[in-house]
Amino acid sequence: MLTEILSGLWIGDINDSFNKEFINDNLITIFINCTLNYGFIDLPNIKKLRIPLSSNLDPQKDLILLKNNYPKIIEYIKSEMEENNILIYCYDGLIISPLIVALFIINYGNISLDNIRDILRSKNEKITLDLNLSIILK
């Protein structure tokens, strides 16, 4: 389910990433694919990035990858948001892509860990975000 979390910053699932009507209507110019091996839609003028995470967020692999790289990921989002609309997508659009956006909002929006779940769920009540974010933010 496509959800605009902040102006021009969308989250969705794999199927949403192939919705040409949505992409064109919302002027999406950057895709951040948070899957291991699902592809990208073939459209011109789209920047394509991959954050290779498994659907179960393996603590020994995926969470370490996020912990080591989330500052670069959220800095990239921040640097591109003003000029581009971004779709961050994962397997179901409810776990990994909201996690990336949560890390972004916590860092640049000065929102506490206690409030981020409620904020994201106010945009889409199906967002789970059951992971303890402090593990990544340490």
PDB file of all heavy atoms in Angstrom, residues 92-128:
ATOM      1  N   ASP A  92       6.939  -5.978   1.675  1.00  0.00           N
ATOM      2  CA  ASP A  92       5.520  -5.766   1.953  1.00  0.00           C
ATOM      3  C   ASP A  92       5.147  -4.304   2.191  1.00  0.00           C
ATOM      4  O   ASP A  92       3.976  -3.985   2.364  1.00  0.00           O
ATOM      5  CB  ASP A  92       5.078  -6.606   3.154  1.00  0.00           C
ATOM      6  CG  ASP A  92       5.784  -6.219   4.438  1.00  0.00           C
ATOM      7  OD1 ASP A  92       6.567  -5.248   4.453  1.00  0.00           O
ATOM      8  OD2 ASP A  92       5.570  -6.916   5.449  1.00  0.00           O
ATOM      9  N   GLY A  93       6.117  -3.419   2.224  1.00  0.00           N
ATOM     10  CA  GLY A  93       5.857  -1.995   2.436  1.00  0.00           C
ATOM     11  C   GLY A  93       5.495  -1.634   3.865  1.00  0.00           C
ATOM     12  O   GLY A  93       5.151  -0.494   4.146  1.00  0.00           O
ATOM     13  N   LEU A  94       5.607  -2.585   4.771  1.00  0.00           N
ATOM     14  CA  LEU A  94       5.144  -2.348   6.137  1.00  0.00           C
ATOM     15  C   LEU A  94       6.226  -2.509   7.202  1.00  0.00           C
ATOM     16  O   LEU A  94       6.008  -2.165   8.359  1.00  0.00           O
ATOM     17  CB  LEU A  94       3.990  -3.307   6.469  1.00  0.00           C
ATOM     18  CG  LEU A  94       2.763  -3.173   5.568  1.00  0.00           C
ATOM     19  CD1 LEU A  94       1.764  -4.275   5.880  1.00  0.00           C
ATOM     20  CD2 LEU A  94       2.135  -1.796   5.706  1.00  0.00           C
ATOM     21  N   ILE A  95       7.376  -3.034   6.828  1.00  0.00           N
ATOM     22  CA  ILE A  95       8.407  -3.285   7.836  1.00  0.00           C
ATOM     23  C   ILE A  95       9.702  -2.536   7.513  1.00  0.00           C
ATOM     24  O   ILE A  95      10.117  -1.647   8.251  1.00  0.00           O
ATOM     25  CB  ILE A  95       8.683  -4.805   7.979  1.00  0.00           C
ATOM     26  CG1 ILE A  95       7.405  -5.519   8.437  1.00  0.00           C
ATOM     27  CG2 ILE A  95       9.827  -5.060   8.962  1.00  0.00           C
ATOM     28  CD1 ILE A  95       7.475  -7.020   8.388  1.00  0.00           C
ATOM     29  N   ILE A  96      10.342  -2.875   6.410  1.00  0.00           N
ATOM     30  CA  ILE A  96      11.674  -2.339   6.132  1.00  0.00           C
ATOM     31  C   ILE A  96      11.627  -0.895   5.639  1.00  0.00           C
ATOM     32  O   ILE A  96      12.358  -0.044   6.151  1.00  0.00           O
ATOM     33  CB  ILE A  96      12.428  -3.236   5.131  1.00  0.00           C
ATOM     34  CG1 ILE A  96      12.595  -4.642   5.733  1.00  0.00           C
ATOM     35  CG2 ILE A  96      13.786  -2.631   4.783  1.00  0.00           C
ATOM     36  CD1 ILE A  96      13.121  -5.684   4.771  1.00  0.00           C
ATOM     37  N   SER A  97      10.782  -0.597   4.668  1.00  0.00           N
ATOM     38  CA  SER A  97      10.745   0.796   4.185  1.00  0.00           C
ATOM     39  C   SER A  97      10.296   1.767   5.284  1.00  0.00           C
ATOM     40  O   SER A  97      10.895   2.842   5.419  1.00  0.00           O
ATOM     41  CB  SER A  97       9.916   0.928   2.907  1.00  0.00           C
ATOM     42  OG  SER A  97       8.667   0.322   2.999  1.00  0.00           O
ATOM     43  N   PRO A  98       9.311   1.422   6.145  1.00  0.00           N
ATOM     44  CA  PRO A  98       9.006   2.318   7.260  1.00  0.00           C
ATOM     45  C   PRO A  98      10.178   2.448   8.245  1.00  0.00           C
ATOM     46  O   PRO A  98      10.376   3.510   8.828  1.00  0.00           O
ATOM     47  CB  PRO A  98       7.805   1.671   7.945  1.00  0.00           C
ATOM     48  CG  PRO A  98       7.184   0.816   6.920  1.00  0.00           C
ATOM     49  CD  PRO A  98       8.311   0.351   6.046  1.00  0.00           C
ATOM     50  N   LEU A  99      10.952   1.382   8.383  1.00  0.00           N
ATOM     51  CA  LEU A  99      12.119   1.437   9.254  1.00  0.00           C
ATOM     52  C   LEU A  99      13.121   2.471   8.749  1.00  0.00           C
ATOM     53  O   LEU A  99      13.641   3.281   9.524  1.00  0.00           O
ATOM     54  CB  LEU A  99      12.769   0.053   9.329  1.00  0.00           C
ATOM     55  CG  LEU A  99      14.115  -0.039  10.036  1.00  0.00           C
ATOM     56  CD1 LEU A  99      14.002   0.369  11.492  1.00  0.00           C
ATOM     57  CD2 LEU A  99      14.669  -1.450   9.915  1.00  0.00           C
ATOM     58  N   ILE A 100      13.377   2.485   7.456  1.00  0.00           N
ATOM     59  CA  ILE A 100      14.314   3.458   6.877  1.00  0.00           C
ATOM     60  C   ILE A 100      13.794   4.882   7.105  1.00  0.00           C
ATOM     61  O   ILE A 100      14.532   5.774   7.516  1.00  0.00           O
ATOM     62  CB  ILE A 100      14.518   3.190   5.359  1.00  0.00           C
ATOM     63  CG1 ILE A 100      15.072   1.784   5.111  1.00  0.00           C
ATOM     64  CG2 ILE A 100      15.392   4.276   4.733  1.00  0.00           C
ATOM     65  CD1 ILE A 100      16.434   1.506   5.664  1.00  0.00           C
ATOM     66  N   VAL A 101      12.508   5.076   6.866  1.00  0.00           N
ATOM     67  CA  VAL A 101      11.914   6.403   7.066  1.00  0.00           C
ATOM     68  C   VAL A 101      11.931   6.782   8.546  1.00  0.00           C
ATOM     69  O   VAL A 101      12.178   7.941   8.890  1.00  0.00           O
ATOM     70  CB  VAL A 101      10.492   6.465   6.476  1.00  0.00           C
ATOM     71  CG1 VAL A 101       9.807   7.767   6.834  1.00  0.00           C
ATOM     72  CG2 VAL A 101      10.538   6.292   4.964  1.00  0.00           C
ATOM     73  N   ALA A 102      11.696   5.823   9.428  1.00  0.00           N
ATOM     74  CA  ALA A 102      11.743   6.101  10.870  1.00  0.00           C
ATOM     75  C   ALA A 102      13.131   6.595  11.270  1.00  0.00           C
ATOM     76  O   ALA A 102      13.261   7.570  12.022  1.00  0.00           O
ATOM     77  CB  ALA A 102      11.368   4.855  11.659  1.00  0.00           C
ATOM     78  N   LEU A 103      14.171   5.942  10.770  1.00  0.00           N
ATOM     79  CA  LEU A 103      15.541   6.376  11.067  1.00  0.00           C
ATOM     80  C   LEU A 103      15.776   7.800  10.569  1.00  0.00           C
ATOM     81  O   LEU A 103      16.402   8.610  11.252  1.00  0.00           O
ATOM     82  CB  LEU A 103      16.552   5.409  10.441  1.00  0.00           C
ATOM     83  CG  LEU A 103      16.573   4.001  11.023  1.00  0.00           C
ATOM     84  CD1 LEU A 103      17.421   3.078  10.155  1.00  0.00           C
ATOM     85  CD2 LEU A 103      17.059   4.010  12.462  1.00  0.00           C
ATOM     86  N   PHE A 104      15.243   8.097   9.383  1.00  0.00           N
ATOM     87  CA  PHE A 104      15.366   9.448   8.821  1.00  0.00           C
ATOM     88  C   PHE A 104      14.668  10.476   9.715  1.00  0.00           C
ATOM     89  O   PHE A 104      15.244  11.503  10.078  1.00  0.00           O
ATOM     90  CB  PHE A 104      14.775   9.466   7.403  1.00  0.00           C
ATOM     91  CG  PHE A 104      14.771  10.823   6.774  1.00  0.00           C
ATOM     92  CD1 PHE A 104      15.920  11.328   6.208  1.00  0.00           C
ATOM     93  CD2 PHE A 104      13.625  11.593   6.772  1.00  0.00           C
ATOM     94  CE1 PHE A 104      15.937  12.596   5.631  1.00  0.00           C
ATOM     95  CE2 PHE A 104      13.620  12.859   6.199  1.00  0.00           C
ATOM     96  CZ  PHE A 104      14.781  13.358   5.635  1.00  0.00           C
ATOM     97  N   ILE A 105      13.426  10.199  10.084  1.00  0.00           N
ATOM     98  CA  ILE A 105      12.643  11.153  10.871  1.00  0.00           C
ATOM     99  C   ILE A 105      13.238  11.333  12.266  1.00  0.00           C
ATOM    100  O   ILE A 105      13.297  12.458  12.782  1.00  0.00           O
ATOM    101  CB  ILE A 105      11.169  10.701  10.953  1.00  0.00           C
ATOM    102  CG1 ILE A 105      10.518  10.801   9.573  1.00  0.00           C
ATOM    103  CG2 ILE A 105      10.399  11.536  11.968  1.00  0.00           C
ATOM    104  CD1 ILE A 105       9.123  10.197   9.496  1.00  0.00           C
ATOM    105  N   ILE A 106      13.686  10.257  12.880  1.00  0.00           N
ATOM    106  CA  ILE A 106      14.300  10.362  14.207  1.00  0.00           C
ATOM    107  C   ILE A 106      15.512  11.283  14.156  1.00  0.00           C
ATOM    108  O   ILE A 106      15.705  12.136  15.019  1.00  0.00           O
ATOM    109  CB  ILE A 106      14.685   8.972  14.747  1.00  0.00           C
ATOM    110  CG1 ILE A 106      13.426   8.194  15.123  1.00  0.00           C
ATOM    111  CG2 ILE A 106      15.633   9.076  15.935  1.00  0.00           C
ATOM    112  CD1 ILE A 106      13.662   6.713  15.352  1.00  0.00           C
ATOM    113  N   ASN A 107      16.329  11.144  13.113  1.00  0.00           N
ATOM    114  CA  ASN A 107      17.547  11.952  13.012  1.00  0.00           C
ATOM    115  C   ASN A 107      17.297  13.388  12.611  1.00  0.00           C
ATOM    116  O   ASN A 107      17.904  14.300  13.162  1.00  0.00           O
ATOM    117  CB  ASN A 107      18.519  11.308  12.026  1.00  0.00           C
ATOM    118  CG  ASN A 107      19.404  10.305  12.699  1.00  0.00           C
ATOM    119  OD1 ASN A 107      20.400  10.675  13.291  1.00  0.00           O
ATOM    120  ND2 ASN A 107      19.022   9.049  12.650  1.00  0.00           N
ATOM    121  N   TYR A 108      16.449  13.610  11.626  1.00  0.00           N
ATOM    122  CA  TYR A 108      16.281  14.966  11.094  1.00  0.00           C
ATOM    123  C   TYR A 108      15.025  15.670  11.583  1.00  0.00           C
ATOM    124  O   TYR A 108      14.893  16.878  11.418  1.00  0.00           O
ATOM    125  CB  TYR A 108      16.313  14.939   9.563  1.00  0.00           C
ATOM    126  CG  TYR A 108      17.673  14.565   9.045  1.00  0.00           C
ATOM    127  CD1 TYR A 108      17.885  13.362   8.394  1.00  0.00           C
ATOM    128  CD2 TYR A 108      18.762  15.403   9.246  1.00  0.00           C
ATOM    129  CE1 TYR A 108      19.140  13.008   7.939  1.00  0.00           C
ATOM    130  CE2 TYR A 108      20.023  15.057   8.798  1.00  0.00           C
ATOM    131  CZ  TYR A 108      20.200  13.868   8.144  1.00  0.00           C
ATOM    132  OH  TYR A 108      21.451  13.520   7.695  1.00  0.00           O
ATOM    133  N   GLY A 109      14.125  14.918  12.198  1.00  0.00           N
ATOM    134  CA  GLY A 109      12.908  15.537  12.704  1.00  0.00           C
ATOM    135  C   GLY A 109      12.885  15.662  14.210  1.00  0.00           C
ATOM    136  O   GLY A 109      11.922  16.146  14.784  1.00  0.00           O
ATOM    137  N   ASN A 110      13.964  15.209  14.843  1.00  0.00           N
ATOM    138  CA  ASN A 110      14.052  15.254  16.298  1.00  0.00           C
ATOM    139  C   ASN A 110      12.830  14.631  16.971  1.00  0.00           C
ATOM    140  O   ASN A 110      12.285  15.168  17.926  1.00  0.00           O
ATOM    141  CB  ASN A 110      14.272  16.688  16.788  1.00  0.00           C
ATOM    142  CG  ASN A 110      15.600  17.230  16.319  1.00  0.00           C
ATOM    143  OD1 ASN A 110      16.600  16.535  16.353  1.00  0.00           O
ATOM    144  ND2 ASN A 110      15.596  18.462  15.849  1.00  0.00           N
ATOM    145  N   ILE A 111      12.398  13.512  16.435  1.00  0.00           N
ATOM    146  CA  ILE A 111      11.282  12.759  16.996  1.00  0.00           C
ATOM    147  C   ILE A 111      11.860  11.637  17.847  1.00  0.00           C
ATOM    148  O   ILE A 111      12.836  10.991  17.465  1.00  0.00           O
ATOM    149  CB  ILE A 111      10.398  12.167  15.868  1.00  0.00           C
ATOM    150  CG1 ILE A 111       9.867  13.258  14.954  1.00  0.00           C
ATOM    151  CG2 ILE A 111       9.283  11.312  16.433  1.00  0.00           C
ATOM    152  CD1 ILE A 111       8.942  14.246  15.610  1.00  0.00           C
ATOM    153  N   SER A 112      11.255  11.401  18.983  1.00  0.00           N
ATOM    154  CA  SER A 112      11.770  10.369  19.881  1.00  0.00           C
ATOM    155  C   SER A 112      11.379   8.974  19.415  1.00  0.00           C
ATOM    156  O   SER A 112      10.407   8.793  18.674  1.00  0.00           O
ATOM    157  CB  SER A 112      11.245  10.597  21.295  1.00  0.00           C
ATOM    158  OG  SER A 112       9.875  10.258  21.361  1.00  0.00           O
ATOM    159  N   LEU A 113      12.128   8.004  19.894  1.00  0.00           N
ATOM    160  CA  LEU A 113      11.810   6.603  19.620  1.00  0.00           C
ATOM    161  C   LEU A 113      10.411   6.257  20.121  1.00  0.00           C
ATOM    162  O   LEU A 113       9.721   5.439  19.531  1.00  0.00           O
ATOM    163  CB  LEU A 113      12.825   5.687  20.297  1.00  0.00           C
ATOM    164  CG  LEU A 113      14.210   5.613  19.678  1.00  0.00           C
ATOM    165  CD1 LEU A 113      15.157   4.831  20.579  1.00  0.00           C
ATOM    166  CD2 LEU A 113      14.145   4.977  18.314  1.00  0.00           C
ATOM    167  N   ASP A 114      10.003   6.886  21.210  1.00  0.00           N
ATOM    168  CA  ASP A 114       8.692   6.602  21.790  1.00  0.00           C
ATOM    169  C   ASP A 114       7.543   7.036  20.881  1.00  0.00           C
ATOM    170  O   ASP A 114       6.469   6.450  20.925  1.00  0.00           O
ATOM    171  CB  ASP A 114       8.531   7.307  23.144  1.00  0.00           C
ATOM    172  CG  ASP A 114       9.524   6.804  24.177  1.00  0.00           C
ATOM    173  OD1 ASP A 114       9.917   5.621  24.095  1.00  0.00           O
ATOM    174  OD2 ASP A 114       9.902   7.576  25.062  1.00  0.00           O
ATOM    175  N   ASN A 115       7.766   8.057  20.072  1.00  0.00           N
ATOM    176  CA  ASN A 115       6.681   8.626  19.261  1.00  0.00           C
ATOM    177  C   ASN A 115       6.673   8.186  17.803  1.00  0.00           C
ATOM    178  O   ASN A 115       5.668   8.336  17.123  1.00  0.00           O
ATOM    179  CB  ASN A 115       6.743  10.154  19.310  1.00  0.00           C
ATOM    180  CG  ASN A 115       6.469  10.680  20.689  1.00  0.00           C
ATOM    181  OD1 ASN A 115       5.683  10.105  21.430  1.00  0.00           O
ATOM    182  ND2 ASN A 115       7.132  11.763  21.055  1.00  0.00           N
ATOM    183  N   ILE A 116       7.767   7.647  17.306  1.00  0.00           N
ATOM    184  CA  ILE A 116       7.871   7.388  15.869  1.00  0.00           C
ATOM    185  C   ILE A 116       6.866   6.349  15.386  1.00  0.00           C
ATOM    186  O   ILE A 116       6.291   6.490  14.302  1.00  0.00           O
ATOM    187  CB  ILE A 116       9.326   7.024  15.459  1.00  0.00           C
ATOM    188  CG1 ILE A 116       9.479   7.085  13.943  1.00  0.00           C
ATOM    189  CG2 ILE A 116       9.746   5.673  16.000  1.00  0.00           C
ATOM    190  CD1 ILE A 116       9.300   8.439  13.347  1.00  0.00           C
ATOM    191  N   ARG A 117       6.607   5.328  16.162  1.00  0.00           N
ATOM    192  CA  ARG A 117       5.635   4.309  15.738  1.00  0.00           C
ATOM    193  C   ARG A 117       4.252   4.918  15.530  1.00  0.00           C
ATOM    194  O   ARG A 117       3.598   4.652  14.533  1.00  0.00           O
ATOM    195  CB  ARG A 117       5.553   3.174  16.758  1.00  0.00           C
ATOM    196  CG  ARG A 117       6.697   2.214  16.693  1.00  0.00           C
ATOM    197  CD  ARG A 117       6.569   1.106  17.741  1.00  0.00           C
ATOM    198  NE  ARG A 117       7.728   0.256  17.742  1.00  0.00           N
ATOM    199  CZ  ARG A 117       8.858   0.520  18.383  1.00  0.00           C
ATOM    200  NH1 ARG A 117       8.985   1.608  19.087  1.00  0.00           N
ATOM    201  NH2 ARG A 117       9.880  -0.310  18.310  1.00  0.00           N
ATOM    202  N   ASP A 118       3.832   5.729  16.492  1.00  0.00           N
ATOM    203  CA  ASP A 118       2.505   6.346  16.391  1.00  0.00           C
ATOM    204  C   ASP A 118       2.421   7.300  15.205  1.00  0.00           C
ATOM    205  O   ASP A 118       1.397   7.366  14.529  1.00  0.00           O
ATOM    206  CB  ASP A 118       2.156   7.093  17.682  1.00  0.00           C
ATOM    207  CG  ASP A 118       1.943   6.153  18.856  1.00  0.00           C
ATOM    208  OD1 ASP A 118       1.609   4.973  18.619  1.00  0.00           O
ATOM    209  OD2 ASP A 118       2.116   6.600  20.009  1.00  0.00           O
ATOM    210  N   ILE A 119       3.499   8.007  14.951  1.00  0.00           N
ATOM    211  CA  ILE A 119       3.508   8.937  13.811  1.00  0.00           C
ATOM    212  C   ILE A 119       3.361   8.168  12.501  1.00  0.00           C
ATOM    213  O   ILE A 119       2.541   8.514  11.650  1.00  0.00           O
ATOM    214  CB  ILE A 119       4.792   9.791  13.822  1.00  0.00           C
ATOM    215  CG1 ILE A 119       4.743  10.767  14.997  1.00  0.00           C
ATOM    216  CG2 ILE A 119       4.979  10.528  12.496  1.00  0.00           C
ATOM    217  CD1 ILE A 119       6.041  11.457  15.290  1.00  0.00           C
ATOM    218  N   LEU A 120       4.141   7.105  12.335  1.00  0.00           N
ATOM    219  CA  LEU A 120       4.060   6.323  11.098  1.00  0.00           C
ATOM    220  C   LEU A 120       2.720   5.608  10.979  1.00  0.00           C
ATOM    221  O   LEU A 120       2.135   5.547   9.897  1.00  0.00           O
ATOM    222  CB  LEU A 120       5.216   5.333  11.005  1.00  0.00           C
ATOM    223  CG  LEU A 120       6.592   5.971  10.814  1.00  0.00           C
ATOM    224  CD1 LEU A 120       7.678   4.914  10.788  1.00  0.00           C
ATOM    225  CD2 LEU A 120       6.643   6.822   9.566  1.00  0.00           C
ATOM    226  N   ARG A 121       2.210   5.098  12.077  1.00  0.00           N
ATOM    227  CA  ARG A 121       0.905   4.421  12.032  1.00  0.00           C
ATOM    228  C   ARG A 121      -0.234   5.391  11.762  1.00  0.00           C
ATOM    229  O   ARG A 121      -1.286   4.993  11.276  1.00  0.00           O
ATOM    230  CB  ARG A 121       0.673   3.640  13.316  1.00  0.00           C
ATOM    231  CG  ARG A 121       1.519   2.385  13.365  1.00  0.00           C
ATOM    232  CD  ARG A 121       1.220   1.545  14.585  1.00  0.00           C
ATOM    233  NE  ARG A 121       2.080   0.366  14.591  1.00  0.00           N
ATOM    234  CZ  ARG A 121       2.582  -0.173  15.679  1.00  0.00           C
ATOM    235  NH1 ARG A 121       2.296   0.326  16.863  1.00  0.00           N
ATOM    236  NH2 ARG A 121       3.350  -1.237  15.596  1.00  0.00           N
ATOM    237  N   SER A 122      -0.031   6.661  12.064  1.00  0.00           N
ATOM    238  CA  SER A 122      -1.064   7.645  11.728  1.00  0.00           C
ATOM    239  C   SER A 122      -1.160   7.832  10.211  1.00  0.00           C
ATOM    240  O   SER A 122      -2.196   8.240   9.699  1.00  0.00           O
ATOM    241  CB  SER A 122      -0.786   8.986  12.411  1.00  0.00           C
ATOM    242  OG  SER A 122       0.275   9.679  11.773  1.00  0.00           O
ATOM    243  N   LYS A 123      -0.109   7.496   9.503  1.00  0.00           N
ATOM    244  CA  LYS A 123      -0.099   7.558   8.040  1.00  0.00           C
ATOM    245  C   LYS A 123      -0.624   6.269   7.421  1.00  0.00           C
ATOM    246  O   LYS A 123      -1.236   6.286   6.366  1.00  0.00           O
ATOM    247  CB  LYS A 123       1.323   7.818   7.524  1.00  0.00           C
ATOM    248  CG  LYS A 123       1.948   9.090   8.007  1.00  0.00           C
ATOM    249  CD  LYS A 123       1.311  10.272   7.341  1.00  0.00           C
ATOM    250  CE  LYS A 123       2.033  11.549   7.736  1.00  0.00           C
ATOM    251  NZ  LYS A 123       1.568  12.681   6.951  1.00  0.00           N
ATOM    252  N   ASN A 124      -0.315   5.137   8.076  1.00  0.00           N
ATOM    253  CA  ASN A 124      -0.759   3.823   7.590  1.00  0.00           C
ATOM    254  C   ASN A 124      -0.821   2.894   8.802  1.00  0.00           C
ATOM    255  O   ASN A 124       0.216   2.503   9.333  1.00  0.00           O
ATOM    256  CB  ASN A 124       0.206   3.282   6.539  1.00  0.00           C
ATOM    257  CG  ASN A 124      -0.196   1.940   5.988  1.00  0.00           C
ATOM    258  OD1 ASN A 124      -0.965   1.201   6.595  1.00  0.00           O
ATOM    259  ND2 ASN A 124       0.345   1.597   4.841  1.00  0.00           N
ATOM    260  N   GLU A 125      -2.021   2.552   9.209  1.00  0.00           N
ATOM    261  CA  GLU A 125      -2.197   1.764  10.438  1.00  0.00           C
ATOM    262  C   GLU A 125      -1.625   0.354  10.362  1.00  0.00           C
ATOM    263  O   GLU A 125      -1.451  -0.308  11.378  1.00  0.00           O
ATOM    264  CB  GLU A 125      -3.666   1.702  10.823  1.00  0.00           C
ATOM    265  CG  GLU A 125      -4.529   1.000   9.807  1.00  0.00           C
ATOM    266  CD  GLU A 125      -6.011   1.141  10.086  1.00  0.00           C
ATOM    267  OE1 GLU A 125      -6.414   2.111  10.726  1.00  0.00           O
ATOM    268  OE2 GLU A 125      -6.755   0.258   9.639  1.00  0.00           O
ATOM    269  N   LYS A 126      -1.285  -0.110   9.159  1.00  0.00           N
ATOM    270  CA  LYS A 126      -0.742  -1.465   9.010  1.00  0.00           C
ATOM    271  C   LYS A 126       0.769  -1.536   9.221  1.00  0.00           C
ATOM    272  O   LYS A 126       1.339  -2.617   9.301  1.00  0.00           O
ATOM    273  CB  LYS A 126      -1.086  -2.022   7.628  1.00  0.00           C
ATOM    274  CG  LYS A 126      -2.575  -2.249   7.455  1.00  0.00           C
ATOM    275  CD  LYS A 126      -2.889  -2.815   6.103  1.00  0.00           C
ATOM    276  CE  LYS A 126      -4.384  -3.031   5.966  1.00  0.00           C
ATOM    277  NZ  LYS A 126      -4.724  -3.577   4.658  1.00  0.00           N
ATOM    278  N   ILE A 127       1.432  -0.391   9.312  1.00  0.00           N
ATOM    279  CA  ILE A 127       2.879  -0.370   9.543  1.00  0.00           C
ATOM    280  C   ILE A 127       3.164  -1.022  10.888  1.00  0.00           C
ATOM    281  O   ILE A 127       2.558  -0.692  11.895  1.00  0.00           O
ATOM    282  CB  ILE A 127       3.425   1.073   9.509  1.00  0.00           C
ATOM    283  CG1 ILE A 127       3.360   1.620   8.078  1.00  0.00           C
ATOM    284  CG2 ILE A 127       4.847   1.146  10.065  1.00  0.00           C
ATOM    285  CD1 ILE A 127       3.722   3.078   7.947  1.00  0.00           C
ATOM    286  N   THR A 128       4.108  -1.964  10.895  1.00  0.00           N
ATOM    287  CA  THR A 128       4.382  -2.698  12.127  1.00  0.00           C
ATOM    288  C   THR A 128       5.472  -2.042  12.965  1.00  0.00           C
ATOM    289  O   THR A 128       5.254  -1.746  14.118  1.00  0.00           O
ATOM    290  CB  THR A 128       4.761  -4.156  11.826  1.00  0.00           C
ATOM    291  OG1 THR A 128       5.825  -4.163  10.893  1.00  0.00           O
ATOM    292  CG2 THR A 128       3.598  -4.920  11.282  1.00  0.00           C
TER     293      THR A 128
END
